[in-house]
């Protein structure tokens, strides 16, 4: 399934990336030692930030900018949680910890990656053929 992402302005992109880095500071991840921050820009302009919170049972939820110097994607559990609340064509920016990455002389950005080494995708691409709340409304036999 290929889903076309909504377009996103440079200003909003920057706001989202900065928000994800700020959110990561609020992570509580003493067990995995894998802090993650995420930011979501709502249609009314509200910037919503979140970070992973763990407990002793290792249950962790959330997504986006981690401390790994590559653009990691959210785990399957987090993708399904995002699917519950967001449209499949919502753009998703996966930000490397060393953002902004600078290309070396003559080096080209990898396909699917944008400015600063940010991977640009959609929820639909991350979670193809997904099951969502609307499926619970289907007629049953
Ligand atoms: Zn996850």
């Amino acid at each position: 399934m290929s889903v076309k992402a909504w377009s996103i302005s440079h200003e909003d992109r920057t706001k989202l990336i900065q928000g994800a880095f700020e959110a990561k500071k609020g992570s509580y991840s003493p067990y995995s030692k894998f802090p993650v921050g995420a930011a979501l820009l709502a249609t009314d302009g509200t910037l919503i930030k979140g970070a992973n919170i763990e407990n002793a049972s290792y249950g962790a939820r959330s997504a986006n900018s981690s401390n790994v110097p590559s653009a990691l994607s959210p785990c399957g559990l987090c993708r399904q949680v995002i699917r519950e609340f967001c449209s499949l064509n919502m753009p998703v920016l996966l930000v490397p910890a060393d953002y902004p990455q600078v290309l070396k002389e003559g080096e080209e950005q990898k396909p699917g990656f944008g400015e600063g080494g940010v991977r640009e995708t959609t929820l639909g691409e991350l979670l193809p053929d997904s099951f969502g709340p609307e499926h619970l409304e289907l007629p049953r036999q």
Side-chain angles (χ1 to χ4, degrees):
M1 178 168 70
S2 178
V3 180
K4 178 95 174 90
W6 297 324
S7 62
I8 185 166
S9 71
H10 189 268
E11 182 186 355
D12 285 348
R13 185 181 194 276
T14 301
K15 197 183 297 184
L16 280 163
I17 292 169
Q18 288 175 344
F21 275 99
E22 287 169 20
K24 188 166 62 178
K25 294 175 190 166
S27 168
Y28 176 73
S29 47
Y31 305 105
S32 68
K33 299 184 180 10
F34 199 87
V36 178
L40 184 137
L41 187 60
T43 52
D44 70 356
T46 305
L47 186 69
I48 302 164
K49 295 184 270 187
N52 60 329
I53 303 288
E54 299 172 350
N55 58 36
S57 73
Y58 269 56
R61 303 259 164 113
S62 200
N64 225 311
S65 166
S66 69
N67 282 347
V68 175
S70 62
L72 293 183
S73 63
C75 75
L77 179 63
C78 290
R79 292 176 200 204
Q80 187 65 43
V81 171
I82 296 167
R83 169 72 168 86
E84 186 74 18
F85 301 104
C86 301
S87 166
L88 289 171
N89 63 354
M90 179 185 76
V92 177
L93 304 176
L94 304 172
V95 185
D98 58 351
Y99 172 84
Q101 293 179 341
V102 179
L103 293 175
K104 296 181 185 110
E105 182 82 24
E107 188 180 19
E108 289 186 27
Q109 198 64 261
K110 289 185 282 183
F113 286 74
E115 183 186 321
V118 175
R119 183 171 162 219
E120 300 173 359
T121 184
T122 63
L123 179 58
E125 288 174 349
L126 291 173
L127 194 64
D129 299 324
S130 63
F131 180 85
E134 70 277 12
H135 295 111
L136 295 174
E137 304 302 321
L138 293 173
R140 300 173 196 192
Q141 293 184 343

